[in-house]
Amino acid sequence: MDGLIVQKHSVSAGDVRGMQHVWRRIKRAVDAGHRVVAVISAMGQDTDRLVALAIRIKGGMPKPAARELDMLMASGEAITAPLVAIGLQGLGVPAVAFSGPQAGIRTNAVHGNAEITAVHPDRVVRALQEGRVAVVAGFQGATDDQDVTTLGRAGGDTTAVRLAAALGVAVCEIYVAYRGIRTADPYVVPEARVLSHLSYDEALELAATGLHMPQPRAVEIAQQYRIGIHLRPARDDAGDGTRIVEVLPDQERRPVSAIAHQHGLGRVRVAYVPNQPGGAADILEPLGGLGISVEVVNHAGPGDLSFMVRESDLDRALQAVEPAARALGSAATSASDLVKVSAVGAGMVGESGLGVAARMFRTLADAGINIETIASSDIRITCVIKRAGHERAVRALHSAFGLDHP
Amino acid sequence: VRQRGGRRSEPAAPAPGGDRPGLKVQKYGVSVGDIAGMRRVCRRIKSAVDGGWRVVAAIAALGQDTDRLVERAIRMKGAMARPSPRELDMLMASGGEGSTAPLVAIGLQGIGVPAMAFTGLQAGIETNAVHGSAEITCVRPDRVLLALERGSVAVVAGFQGATADLDVTTLGRYGGDATAVWLAAALRADVCEIYTNVPGILTADRHVVPEATVLRHISYEEAMELGSAGLPASQPRAVEIAEKFAVPMHFRPVATLDAGTMVVGHVPEHERMAVCAVAHQDRVAKVRVAGVPNRPGAGADLFEPLRQHGISVDAIAHIAEGDLTIMVHEPDLERIIGVIEPAATWLGASVTHDCDLAKISVVGKGMQGRAGVAARMFRTLADVGVNIDSIATSEIRITCIVRRNRHEQAVRALHAAFGLGRTAG
């Protein structure tokens, strides 16, 4: 369908000014000759009250039933979407609101975190053909049984991306409360710039790092369906945002796209793990059962094994591995106040990766910063360092990889 | 027939046919924020389940939850005369019953009663597309049946349904009662229980007649007439559907285990009376159009504008020698005059009105073929010095319009004259 765009907006039912902003955004696109599908996400506070009521009334159950909870959770978008449609109609823009099920969003029955299995947007297409804006409640769908489901985190983004794919639109616009994805945290690096383009892979690597970013799940789905994501600032004066695409344009290629960092980490180290099958598994297995997620695992056996956890999980993680460590005739120790600093860039793949790693280590050495642990993927190099001086490290790396200037 | 003290528990379910327990459809009104009220509803449902009944609970939300949403929609409607009804229905259905039904289901699960919540759409409530006051056209409660077969209580969001296009609709005022009755009909339930804050259907308004008693049984026709005549607790449209499908309706108080009122086809012989209740409505006004030309369609010319403005003239309208009198709800008077005056002027007629009136009706199936009910009504009013402004009747109702100042006294006198204060049930 020509001139069709899919936009995703977040708004709270009670926020009339925010609503007005969304209508104007949509109207501008309509006035420019576009046909528009607007996916609406509600802000959490609308459903928080209902969830609190459910918890009060659930009595002896450990938690309210997921199926009924989904009916409550879905009411957030079920209320904001018709309000947005009514507002558009008030501005003279023909609009029609659809719930997730009406928009043809079919999901599996995993309530609270359902996955979209199919999209049949017949009614959306019909509305567009009639010259109307289709306002779709994001974050929700229905099973084949017409049970209402919610899509979990990033549910609204996922709805928008899947609708774009089903409607044959190449790019999905996601309006966000920030300017775009930056080369570093601007609180640490005042020179940090908004990236005009980023690859899916880079976005996924950066997602775990605290930079403003859509949820990884939405990025994965965009990558799977080859839908570009255009993160656009909701504020008019905040620039053009960031496009997340498969391949960066030539002029945007660089070995490193961003320096990310994350603090609040701790490390557990087991002094000796023998080089035999199951050694690492014995150590790490108890952590999964406790819901503790583990990263940057280092083990070049036979020898020591170390891994990182969130600082808040550190004591529990240490206790959990101690029995296994003792059984191996070893001991476990922990360290806190660590920071993970990562250089991420699709351009480091292959030969240039070695150069990037060398430059990263050299830069940190020149800044007098000791590296505790190193981990890497194809497009990321991560160094774990002490918290003291980590901001200096981030600034030095930002500068060394030429990110201070466009 | 006033119930003194309640039974301590629900009577056990009968086992019709011997193979499966009886089925009740119950209708409750709750407010989203009212946890205590919701818990009370959950306990009430549990006591029926404990008594061996299979239960379908139709939940209506109380107004305040959706009022706030409608206000928001009105703030956002911009230049439109009113928010679009289709989108308004989506708001109402999600914010009201769409929230209370799952909460009640969660509350039931919490006290160990397996329960599943359904939207109107999921419960198979199909309606026409008249958003805001849709009519149920068909009910296909497959999923409700499945839940019952699995031993769950089915908690259905009342007041809402969906079109064949799966557009959400709302059923208008008292839509919760309609949902319950339709479900009871489709499921061939043994009874449809409507729970309210009043003890049942009364012989008169207790604010006016403190000795009014709860009727144990009432016929469908009487319940319908009383509903239109102003006695609360029975919604005429829902009763009409119950009669059509021969669903026994049971009006019960939510707060006690009192017996309430059964609405049935035939009132047991020993309870039959000439008049079963006295209903009244104050705040009634009269609009009189004089000099209406005596030609076909003149009446239609007058009423058509009212219909277009959505004003219902539930009242007496009679034409006599070019005079047409309609009774209206007093707060609507100004609006109605504004609509009817131009039409009357166009016909060459004139409009006058009279306020401060009240409408008093006696209702009873027993007055059919029983002489003297009308005479006794007029005599009673005369004895208390109340002048009758106008009279209208149906087969089982006599209505008098009187001055408002003494109408309460008139209601009390009629209640006594027809022996309603001391009836045995």
Side-chain angles (χ1 to χ4, degrees):
Chain A
M1 206 176 278
D2 286 345
L4 175 61
I5 56 178
V6 174
Q7 305 182 329
K8 183 247 171 179
H9 302 273
S10 301
V11 70
S12 170
D15 175 12
V16 175
R17 282 190 56 196
M19 283 274 178
Q20 286 167 341
H21 205 87
V22 171
W23 306 332
R24 282 200 298 269
R25 274 275 176 203
I26 296 171
K27 185 172 191 303
R28 199 177 306 162
V30 171
D31 290 346
H34 290 291
R35 296 194 248 198
V36 180
V37 175
V39 175
I40 307 298
S41 259
M43 308 291 217
Q45 57 269 44
D46 298 324
T47 47
D48 285 354
R49 179 175 152 264
L50 289 171
V51 173
L53 285 169
I55 286 169
R56 280 181 64 194
I57 205 167
K58 75 178 167 46
M61 288 188 296
K63 57 177 78 146
R67 180 182 174 279
E68 274 69 30
L69 210 50
D70 262 3
M71 292 176 81
L72 293 176
M73 297 288 290
S75 75
E77 280 75 10
I79 286 168
T80 44
L83 283 175
V84 168
I86 287 169
L88 284 170
Q89 293 161 357
L91 292 177
V93 178
V96 55
F98 296 112
S99 66
Q102 287 171 345
I105 310 287
R106 282 295 157 103
T107 74
N108 62 16
V110 182
H111 286 285
N113 197 21
E115 277 189 34
I116 297 176
T117 51
V119 180
H120 300 292
D122 307 355
R123 296 199 64 191
V124 172
V125 169
R126 208 159 72 203
L128 293 169
Q129 283 166 347
E130 290 164 2
R132 296 171 201 262
V133 172
V135 182
V136 177
F139 181 67
Q140 53 172 250
T143 64
D144 291 341
D145 262 355
Q146 292 184 339
D147 271 348
V148 179
T149 51
T150 65
L151 307 181
R153 300 183 74 176
D157 293 352
T158 309
T159 303
V161 168
R162 289 296 302 265
L163 267 174
L167 295 166
V169 177
V171 177
C172 171
E173 298 180 356
I174 295 179
Y175 284 86
V176 292
Y178 48 89
R179 281 173 175 263
I181 296 172
R182 290 178 185 267
T183 50
D185 179 348
Y187 292 105
V188 175
V189 187
E191 297 85 3
R193 293 173 297 109
V194 172
L195 289 158
S196 73
H197 290 80
L198 198 65
S199 74
Y200 295 124
D201 291 334
E202 289 172 319
L204 287 170
E205 288 283 5
L206 285 168
T209 61
L211 289 182
H212 280 307
M213 186 71 61
Q215 288 287 330
R217 191 166 161 198
V219 177
E220 274 169 23
I221 288 168
Q223 183 170 25
Q224 184 186 344
Y225 289 89
R226 297 178 175 274
I227 302 296
I229 292 179
H230 187 179
L231 297 173
R232 301 189 69 172
R235 271 179 41 200
D236 289 342
D237 58 353
D240 195 36
T242 301
R243 288 174 170 78
I244 303 178
V245 294
E246 177 75 51
V247 181
L248 297 180
D250 281 344
Q251 75 275 14
E252 293 286 328
R253 294 234 179 109
R254 61 249 146 175
V256 169
S257 290
I259 307 296
H261 72 281
Q262 195 182 12
H263 34 71
L265 295 173
R267 184 184 51 201
V268 176
R269 167 181 269 157
V270 179
Y272 175 76
V273 176
N275 192 13
Q276 69 190 41
D282 289 346
I283 298 285
L284 295 176
E285 232 160 29
L287 298 167
L290 294 170
I292 298 173
S293 72
V294 168
E295 53 181 331
V296 197
V297 180
N298 256 329
H299 176 47
D304 72 341
L305 180 149
S306 73
F307 59 87
M308 312 287 300
V309 296
R310 270 198 303 271
E311 217 159 50
S312 53
D313 291 334
L314 184 59
D315 292 341
R316 285 196 307 144
L318 183 63
Q319 282 167 17
V321 303
E322 259 168 354
R326 269 200 303 274
L328 294 170
S330 181
T333 55
S334 70
S336 58
D337 260 350
L338 297 172
V339 177
K340 207 171 76 174
V341 179
S342 305
V344 172
M348 71 174 66
V349 177
E351 292 298 311
S352 66
L354 293 170
V356 170
R359 194 190 304 173
M360 183 168 188
F361 305 150
R362 171 59 57 205
T363 305
L364 291 175
D366 287 349
I369 289 159
N370 189 40
I371 300 169
E372 303 283 321
T373 314
I374 297 166
S376 66
S377 76
D378 282 354
I379 62 164
R380 171 180 53 82
I381 301 166
T382 295
C383 295
V384 175
I385 61 175
K386 290 225 163 62
R387 186 187 174 94
H390 77 274
E391 298 195 346
R392 197 153 39 93
V394 173
R395 280 192 291 269
L397 289 168
H398 195 264
S399 175
F401 287 108
L403 297 174
D404 287 354
H405 308 286
Chain B
V1 198
R2 193 182 309 181
Q3 304 294 314
R4 290 180 205 284
R7 275 187 296 258
R8 273 199 307 267
S9 64
E10 292 283 321
D19 54 342
R20 59 169 46 175
L23 173 62
K24 274 184 179 185
V25 175
Q26 304 185 321
K27 183 252 171 175
Y28 297 95
V30 293
S31 171
V32 173
D34 177 13
I35 289 275
M38 259 186 282
R39 290 209 172 110
R40 190 167 60 196
V41 167
C42 291
R43 284 196 301 269
R44 198 81 212 220
I45 295 169
K46 184 177 192 298
S47 74
V49 171
D50 291 345
W53 291 91
R54 295 179 297 148
V55 179
V56 174
I59 307 296
L62 298 179
Q64 57 270 42
D65 301 319
T66 45
D67 287 354
R68 208 170 40 108
L69 289 172
V70 173
E71 263 166 46
R72 277 188 193 158
I74 286 170
R75 278 175 68 191
M76 297 190 177
K77 73 180 170 47
M80 286 187 297
R82 58 180 70 133
S84 55
R86 180 183 173 280
E87 274 69 28
L88 210 50
D89 267 1
M90 290 177 81
L91 285 180
M92 305 272 286
S94 310
E97 285 75 6
S99 303
T100 47
L103 283 171
V104 168
I106 288 168
L108 283 168
Q109 294 159 359
I111 52 176
V113 178
M116 274 183 100
F118 297 104
T119 61
L121 169 85
Q122 290 168 347
I125 312 283
E126 294 177 20
T127 75
N128 62 17
V130 183
H131 287 283
S133 59
E135 288 263 341
I136 297 176
T137 51
C138 175
V139 176
R140 297 180 214 274
D142 305 351
R143 297 203 61 196
V144 172
L145 273 171
L146 209 68
L148 291 172
E149 275 165 26
R150 288 179 189 157
S152 280
V153 171
V155 184
V156 178
F159 177 73
Q160 55 174 249
T163 65
D165 253 0
L166 303 188
D167 272 348
V168 179
T169 52
T170 66
L171 308 181
R173 231 163 111 75
Y174 297 107
D177 289 7
T179 302
V181 171
W182 271 94
L183 276 171
L187 296 165
R188 297 197 174 78
D190 297 282
V191 62
C192 176
E193 295 181 333
I194 310 284
Y195 283 89
T196 68
N197 290 324
V198 296
I201 299 180
L202 292 157
T203 52
D205 182 347
R206 277 218 177 125
H207 295 110
V208 174
V209 188
E211 62 272 26
T213 56
V214 175
L215 290 160
R216 176 157 281 179
H217 291 91
I218 190 171
S219 69
Y220 294 111
E221 298 99 305
E222 288 165 329
M224 268 183 270
E225 287 281 7
L226 283 176
S228 329
L231 203 65
S234 60
Q235 201 280 314
R237 183 76 185 114
V239 176
E240 193 186 327
I241 297 159
E243 182 183 23
K244 181 175 164 193
F245 294 107
V247 173
M249 275 180 106
H250 192 175
F251 287 89
R252 303 188 69 176
V254 72
T256 70
L257 289 167
D258 292 353
T261 304
M262 290 289 300
V263 185
V264 292
H266 297 285
V267 173
E269 193 70 44
H270 65 279
E271 288 179 32
R272 286 191 201 165
M273 306 267 296
V275 165
C276 69
V278 182
H280 75 281
Q281 256 174 332
D282 45 19
R283 312 199 73 194
V284 169
K286 180 170 70 174
V287 177
R288 181 178 197 167
V289 188
V292 180
N294 187 13
R295 65 162 171 80
D301 288 343
L302 279 174
F303 281 105
E304 185 59 22
L306 289 177
R307 192 189 62 78
Q308 281 168 2
H309 284 76
I311 299 166
S312 74
V313 280
D314 140 70
I316 303 156
H318 73 263
I319 298 189
E321 299 182 7
D323 263 24
L324 186 142
T325 304
I326 58 178
M327 308 305 303
V328 302
H329 192 45
E330 200 172 271
D332 295 338
L333 181 63
E334 222 168 288
R335 206 155 63 98
I336 287 168
I337 300 259
V339 171
I340 211 167
E341 205 150 42
T345 310
W346 188 77
L347 286 170
S350 64
V351 177
T352 54
H353 68 269
D354 194 357
C355 297
D356 290 330
L357 297 168
K359 192 169 88 170
I360 300 177
S361 306
V362 298
V363 172
K365 230 176 153 182
M367 72 175 65
Q368 284 172 298
R370 198 176 300 201
V373 172
R376 194 193 301 176
M377 182 175 191
F378 305 151
R379 169 59 57 204
T380 306
L381 293 176
D383 286 349
V384 290
V386 170
N387 186 43
I388 300 169
D389 181 278
S390 46
I391 297 166
T393 63
S394 79
E395 284 177 16
I396 63 166
R397 172 179 54 82
I398 304 167
T399 297
C400 295
I401 303 296
V402 303
R403 281 279 140 214
R404 187 145 73 211
N405 55 358
R406 305 186 65 185
H407 71 282
E408 296 194 350
Q409 202 187 336
V411 171
R412 281 191 289 271
L414 289 168
H415 194 263
F418 286 105
L420 296 175
R422 48 182 174 73
T423 43

